[in-house]
Amino acid sequence: MGLPVDSIAAIAYDPVQSLLAVGTTNNTIHVYGQSTVEVVFGLKSLGSVSHLRFVKGVYLVCVETSGSITVLSLESKEILGHYLAHGTVCAVESDPSLDWLVVGLNNGSLIFYDVDRLTLTPFRVDNLQKVVMPKQKMSPVLSIEWHPRDIGSLLISYSHCIVQYSIASGGIKNAFIYQLDPSCRGFEYSNLIETGGKKKLFGSPKEVCPRVIEAHYHPNGLHVVTVHADGTLAFWDSNSATLLEARTIKETGLHKQGPPAQVGACGEMRARWITGQDPELTLLLVTGATAEAPDVIDILDFGYTLKYSMTSHEKQGEFYRKPQEGQRKIHVKFNRRLQEQGPLEYITYLLPLAAEAQPYFNGSHNPSRIFLLSSLGALYMSPLNPLSPPDMTMPPSLATILPPLTFSSSESVKRVNWFSILSNRRAKGAPPNTLLSGGAASNKLYPRSIGLDEGYHTVSIKAHENGSVCLLDVTSGEYNDDESIVQINLKDTLDNGTGSASYRPISVSCSFESREMLVGLANGNVAICKFTKAGVNPPSRSGYDQCAVQHSNGTAKIIDLSRRILGNFSQPSFMPVSLLQTESSDRISCLKLTDAGFAAVGYKSGRLVVCDISRGPAVIMNLENITRHLPSVSGECYVTSLEFSIMEYGQDGYSSLLLFVGTNSGGNLMTFKIVPQSNGAFDVAFADKTLGLNYRSKENEDSRLDKIMPINAATGESAVATLEMFRALARNIVIPGYVVVSSKRDLRVLKTPKQKLAHKVVDETCVSCGIVNIRPKGIALAALTETGFVKLFSLPSLGDVADIKLPVDIYKKLQNVLKGRAAQNSTVISSGEIIVLMSTSETLNLLIYDESKNKSLPKTNPTDLLFNKNAIIPPRPTAGALLWAKGQASYISSQDLASLIAGPNRKPAKHSESELAYNISPEANPNMSYGAYAGAIASKEPEKAYEQPVRRATSTNPYAFGTGGFMKTMRDGLDAVEEGMNQYASGLSESMNETVESLKRSFYSLAIKSKFGV
């Protein structure tokens, strides 16, 4: 589970199937759906993934930089076809309802790949910039975009021009060339960028043509925006190629005459034209507009688009010069906190998450959120407006990098304790707001591990860089529900304005029995969380210095945060009610919270703080340095492991609550007793120490005690302190116990206070250790080694029981991982499950099981379902009948387009996915429509996959020449004319259908012969 950090190469989203595809630099493609739905495709190729596209609902097309095109089936989860283009692929374009993938090559030509028939079509388009600008150098295709309302037109970007190409006529409609002469306001800066600051030696500079980055259609197809390398956004009339406005984010009118504009340097610009539910409500997203702010998205909110037929070019230019709804910014917090280190990070791709079942307008129809892909391979998600839902439940694997993890651990939790938390949230909280709803999880049959106990669940604890903590049920084969996730956001409460260290978690410890949580922060503070509901009083934003002190002990104190709680919590939840602070900003080395309600925190400076959480909170011990009890230890010594236990100490004759503290510097074990006082409080008393448990280790870090595991000497059960055991201390119970300690090479079994029962030196380095319950035989110590073995040792003698070698394919994945630092935080659970940390954001679950008891299981588990045959693709929006009647837009059906691109001899498909794609296509569902944008085909009672756009008439028009009422009447009249034309066209098409069909064959035959030179 998880993805490597900074490994995202491409991303795609299908709003009809509600699936998200992510391509990585490891040549894997992960397709996500609801809950834990995830299917991974592996590509065996030398190139890297550059583009992903969903086509016709059932196909996922992967394009690599090497020119390789791979078609994947979302139904069979297999590779259907493969094609290698003759050249480097620079740009691709597809449409959710069409069969074609348009591929732009580095020589400037376009080829058309038939995704449904898995073949390259004979239709090609040569380098059009050589036609428009013969003197310019050869240019690759920089971007391609299908006309949002005319499938017969493409917008193709080259280095110095943008061409609108008609597939139907096989020619250029018009070209957009942004040129500035020396009298223009933007000439000086554009010339500086184009020449690199070099001045012309002879003669005066002439016209300059800024380089093009990309181009986009307005959602109505009547305007075009071109993005240039000098930071210019040029707006055009798509029909006449008239320049309406040339501007940057700050400066306007760059194409007009006047004094030179003060244009600042820009970065790597990218733009996306977004539409609301009504396609006439638009805004433009721009990244990289200023070089000094690569993490800012500038938004030009144009509001409702002016009526094209009633507005002059001057008024249209003014519309883009002064956005009706103004401008605003969205700040994206990059993961790299120190931007001075390494290459600069900037945004390279924007992917809006379009509203469900609304796939058109270049995938930008009414999104609430947007994905951002950076130059370093990082993935970010940002809401487009403050009214968007605050938190969305993402697929668990994707959540590991969005935002990145800072801590990951797993533990075994009693089923009743885990479900008591979930049941409270389900009864009182709102249902989770999920990012995806597609696919369906399959029933995976995992083998029963050797120590499986139905009364326990495995819960993953993850902390993220943005101050959030996530609890996830990862019990094998059980988690398939978004309500099994508990998310806690601490940033709003803990942020004190001093940077991310005040809320960034680095360590987490939970007690599900007492419903408490400790969150260690990067600045050394520890947040104390309790499962409760937030107060009704409005929170205060006062600083920490104004919060009430609940308890203090020397330089350590606990302050009250109950009046500072902010953020969005699914109540009840773990609320940060208190904060443990020390005067010196120590780094936390280890922390532990026990079910008995006590906590211990170790710091890199050697400090040890013990708190009573449940009955306080109170600081019951503040030991400045643990070397106070270790006078013979030299060098830097600090706490590396902590554990609370209830067992008999020595020959006391009764059990005590003990705190075991492991250190580095030779591997020392210290024992403290937590004893009650007459006033009801508790005190911590030093009991004894055992020195040099790893005296053979040379390095200080290698000699550390990694884990302390107390066990019941009589039954073999865990002797870790629980609330039930703590309450039983009043009955004078006696629990004989052993203490098992592990490090990289040494395993020891001790009996308090200083008796050493067994010692085992492991030949290979131990990555992680844990007590495993082998039912019904007893317990054993399991150790995962760097060489790929799981070694089992008997207790307390530490005799060899078994050596289990990892499968070859698993070990190949883990061979380098087991030698890394991340794997040292892996967890061995008593059920026989081993959670291996492959990196800071990836985990791999291994199961120790008995093959003789799991013979009935299938060799391979079924994969999750992705394709939904009931998710119908709605019809593509078409141009209004008024524009069609005026000749400003053409109507061409998908069948006509297929005849033009594939020719009359298109072969039928040989796979079942083709029929599935047709069944959910608009052609097979003609009764569906898209309001006034459905084109000529409509029904009396359509099933609308799209909500009908609302044509809003504003009360005032800043460009009106008469009264508002007159203009409203004119607009309503034009709308009525357009609706009438739609009805007229519908009736006309029925009467002319037979005649047109008879003429099509001869027309296409002539067109194809002309195109291919026959």
Side-chain angles (χ1 to χ4, degrees), residues 426-498:
R426 289 172 180 173
K428 301 178 182 179
N433 186 21
T434 57
L435 180 70
L436 303 170
S437 60
S442 63
N443 185 18
K444 300 180 178 64
L445 301 176
Y446 293 103
R448 289 179 62 89
S449 58
I450 56 176
L452 181 64
D453 187 346
E454 300 291 348
Y456 285 82
H457 275 226
T458 302
V459 175
S460 173
I461 305 170
K462 300 182 184 297
H464 297 266
E465 195 170 272
N466 67 342
S468 62
V469 178
C470 178
L471 309 177
L472 172 66
D473 187 349
V474 293
T475 306
S476 297
E478 291 218 13
Y479 168 67
N480 58 6
D481 187 358
D482 288 315
E483 292 188 358
S484 296
I485 300 177
V486 179
Q487 288 183 325
I488 308 105
N489 192 348
L490 306 176
K491 177 181 177 181
D492 294 334
T493 302
L494 300 178
D495 189 3
N496 61 358
T498 59

Side-chain angles (χ1 to χ4, degrees), residues 326-503:
Q327 299 180 210
R328 63 181 189 273
K329 299 178 183 291
I330 297 177
H331 291 268
V332 181
K333 186 173 178 57
F334 284 160
N335 299 330
R336 293 167 60 100
R337 287 176 291 277
L338 298 177
Q339 290 295 326
E340 298 81 10
Q341 299 179 2
L344 182 67
E345 185 174 15
Y346 56 89
I347 297 170
T348 58
Y349 185 68
L350 298 92
L351 176 69
L353 289 181
E356 188 172 351
Q358 299 182 359
Y360 298 115
F361 302 116
N362 196 25
S364 302
H365 195 173
N366 196 27
S368 61
R369 277 175 165 74
I370 184 168
F371 273 116
L372 307 165
L373 186 59
S374 82
S375 57
L376 300 182
L379 186 65
Y380 305 93
M381 187 173 69
S382 175
L384 283 180
N385 58 72
L387 299 179
S388 299
D391 295 314
M392 300 194 77
T393 302
M394 287 181 290
S397 289
L398 193 62
T400 60
I401 62 167
L402 198 63
L405 289 179
T406 56
F407 174 82
S408 180
S409 179
S410 300
E411 64 179 78
S412 185
V413 180
K414 280 187 176 181
R415 186 185 188 97
V416 63
N417 294 333
W418 173 244
F419 279 101
S420 66
I421 293 175
L422 296 182
S423 61
N424 274 280
R425 296 176 69 253
R426 289 172 180 173
K428 301 178 182 179
N433 186 21
T434 57
L435 180 70
L436 303 170
S437 60
S442 63
N443 185 18
K444 300 180 178 64
L445 301 176
Y446 293 103
R448 289 179 62 89
S449 58
I450 56 176
L452 181 64
D453 187 346
E454 300 291 348
Y456 285 82
H457 275 226
T458 302
V459 175
S460 173
I461 305 170
K462 300 182 184 297
H464 297 266
E465 195 170 272
N466 67 342
S468 62
V469 178
C470 178
L471 309 177
L472 172 66
D473 187 349
V474 293
T475 306
S476 297
E478 291 218 13
Y479 168 67
N480 58 6
D481 187 358
D482 288 315
E483 292 188 358
S484 296
I485 300 177
V486 179
Q487 288 183 325
I488 308 105
N489 192 348
L490 306 176
K491 177 181 177 181
D492 294 334
T493 302
L494 300 178
D495 189 3
N496 61 358
T498 59
S500 63
S502 63
Y503 60 82

Side-chain angles (χ1 to χ4, degrees), residues 229-245:
D230 61 352
T232 302
L233 299 170
F235 296 88
W236 307 79
D237 185 313
S238 63
N239 294 314
S240 62
T242 303
L243 179 61
L244 305 176
E245 172 64 18

Side-chain angles (χ1 to χ4, degrees), residues 372 457 525 589 838 852 956 995 1007:
L372 307 165
H457 275 226
N525 293 340
S589 62
M838 302 177 64
S852 62
T956 59
T995 306

